[in-house]
Amino acid sequence: MNRGGKTGILLWALCWMLGVCACSGSAPERMSVAVTIPPLQNWAEQLAGGRVDVVCAVPDGGNPESYDLPPSAMVELSRCRLYFSCGHLGFERTWLETLAKNNPSLQVVDLSRGLPLLYGTHVHHHGEEEHLHHGADYPDPHIWCSPRLARRMVESMYRALVEADSAGATVYEANYRRLDAELARVDSLLTAELAPLAGKAFAVYHPTLSYWAADYGLRQLALEPDGKSPTPQYLRTMVDSARRAGVEVVFVQREFDPRQAETFAREVGCRTMMINPLAYDWSDEIKRIADAFVR
Ligand SMILES: [Zn+2]
């Protein structure tokens, strides 16, 4: 190929890239927004009602506390106008700064802002390094598992969507009212179902349900004390605590090896239940967890 041909291809590629980045052209640009996990994708899609494209950074089955963003996803995310973050997930702590740097027009909306965060309930490893975030200075990131805080997260999403795209305000408002009513319904169902069990304890492998437990006055015993598999000694003390507390169920997240939880359950004489707090169908999953606890 001659020089001119090569230059032509380079120019074409450059124009295409500029077109992708700037979305110049006469057709009105469709807004894209990003979220970290599938439950937030569900909420954003319900609020947007097809008006906005929603990109989920951590795919189904990925662990949002340690997920590494592939370069292909970086391109897709850098086209987004808004990023709805849970606030304190390992993935967000690692990647949001890079994403914002790559795309100065990306507005990060921290959905945990202004919420009553829990400290001391969650300690874990950050990425590959042997670097622990201890509970004292690191809020528990699993905020979306609380129906009450979920309502406030959705309200922040709604407000940010209206601000970014005021032409869609009436659509967003109608969708927000509907979604908020659904979340309120989940909360009142759980309040009615769990109120008689206030003070009761459950066990969970990774401590994902701290906010959920706080909403309904329940006690969470976590088998994974520091983001690593529990030692046999630690498991022993947890078995004793669980027996004393009358634990009847141990929840296991599907990202984790269930064997230790199964051993724990045999020792305690309780049942195990697989849960997925990262499920896209958030309402169903949150109700299923409550049903399993009550059963
Ligand atoms: Zn966690």
Side-chain angles (χ1 to χ4, degrees), residues 55-79:
V55 180
C56 188
V58 178
D60 188 34
N63 183 346
E65 302 195 33
S66 57
Y67 185 71
D68 263 330
L69 200 62
S72 55
M74 181 81 84
V75 175
E76 203 181 6
L77 287 171
S78 66
R79 285 183 203 135

Side-chain angles (χ1 to χ4, degrees), residues 63 65 89 122-124 138 140-142 144 206-208 224 256:
N63 183 346
E65 302 195 33
L89 283 166
H122 187 272
V123 180
H124 74 97
Y138 182 72
D140 189 316
H142 302 275
W144 72 93
H206 182 76
T208 40
E224 196 192 52
F256 298 94

Side-chain angles (χ1 to χ4, degrees), residues 1-285:
M1 193 184 289
N2 63 29
R3 253 183 111 90
K6 270 187 191 159
T7 312
I9 286 173
L10 278 172
L11 274 175
W12 179 87
L14 188 64
C15 290
W16 179 80
M17 280 164 67
L18 284 172
V20 164
C21 296
C23 291
S24 56
S26 50
E29 186 194 340
R30 211 176 135 74
M31 189 165 81
S32 290
V33 303
V35 299
T36 306
I37 50 172
L40 269 57
Q41 181 185 8
N42 180 339
W43 296 336
E45 284 175 356
Q46 288 199 56
L47 289 172
R51 205 182 152 82
V52 168
D53 292 321
V54 182
V55 180
C56 188
V58 178
D60 188 34
N63 183 346
E65 302 195 33
S66 57
Y67 185 71
D68 263 330
L69 200 62
S72 55
M74 181 81 84
V75 175
E76 203 181 6
L77 287 171
S78 66
R79 285 183 203 135
C80 293
R81 172 83 184 281
L82 299 174
Y83 189 110
F84 293 121
S85 109
C86 291
H88 302 280
L89 283 166
F91 170 82
E92 295 165 342
R93 296 173 84 92
T94 310
W95 288 97
L96 275 188
E97 212 174 296
T98 310
L99 279 171
K101 244 183 238 159
N102 282 359
N103 175 11
S105 59
L106 179 76
Q107 187 196 337
V108 176
V109 182
D110 177 352
L111 301 175
S112 77
R113 266 191 82 171
L115 300 184
L117 301 179
L118 294 175
Y119 290 79
T121 49
H122 187 272
V123 180
H124 74 97
H125 289 257
H126 191 35
E128 295 290 297
E129 323 136 47
E130 287 291 298
H131 175 54
L132 289 178
H133 287 289
H134 284 279
D137 59 355
Y138 182 72
D140 189 316
H142 302 275
I143 305 160
W144 72 93
C145 294
S146 149
R148 293 175 193 169
L149 298 184
R151 289 181 70 187
R152 295 180 58 184
M153 294 171 88
V154 164
E155 188 187 350
S156 299
M157 284 173 133
Y158 156 63
R159 292 195 191 288
L161 282 169
V162 171
E163 204 173 294
D165 173 28
S166 56
T170 49
V171 175
Y172 299 134
E173 194 191 342
N175 292 338
Y176 167 65
R177 301 270 166 240
R178 195 177 316 118
L179 177 55
D180 183 57
E182 184 201 319
L183 301 188
R185 208 163 32 243
V186 172
D187 181 34
S188 27
L189 273 173
L190 265 63
T191 302
E193 194 176 14
L194 299 171
L197 301 169
K200 203 168 155 53
F202 62 89
V204 62
Y205 189 79
H206 182 76
T208 40
L209 295 172
S210 315
Y211 292 94
W212 183 86
D215 272 359
Y216 306 106
L218 308 175
R219 280 175 58 213
Q220 170 181 264
L221 302 179
L223 302 193
E224 196 192 52
D226 60 0
K228 285 200 277 197
S229 294
T231 60
Q233 295 90 314
Y234 182 80
L235 217 52
R236 191 72 252 153
T237 62
M238 289 310 290
V239 166
D240 293 341
S241 308
R243 279 186 185 149
R244 273 199 304 275
V247 164
E248 289 175 27
V249 62
V250 53
F251 294 118
V252 192
Q253 292 85 353
R254 62 174 191 171
E255 306 88 80
F256 298 94
D257 184 345
R259 278 174 296 188
Q260 280 180 310
E262 281 159 5
T263 309
F264 171 87
R266 266 197 306 277
E267 297 276 317
V268 174
C270 71
R271 56 186 191 277
T272 56
M273 159 96 183
M274 276 286 189
I275 60 167
N276 181 18
L278 295 167
Y280 178 84
D281 290 319
W282 178 91
S283 298
D284 286 352
E285 186 64 18

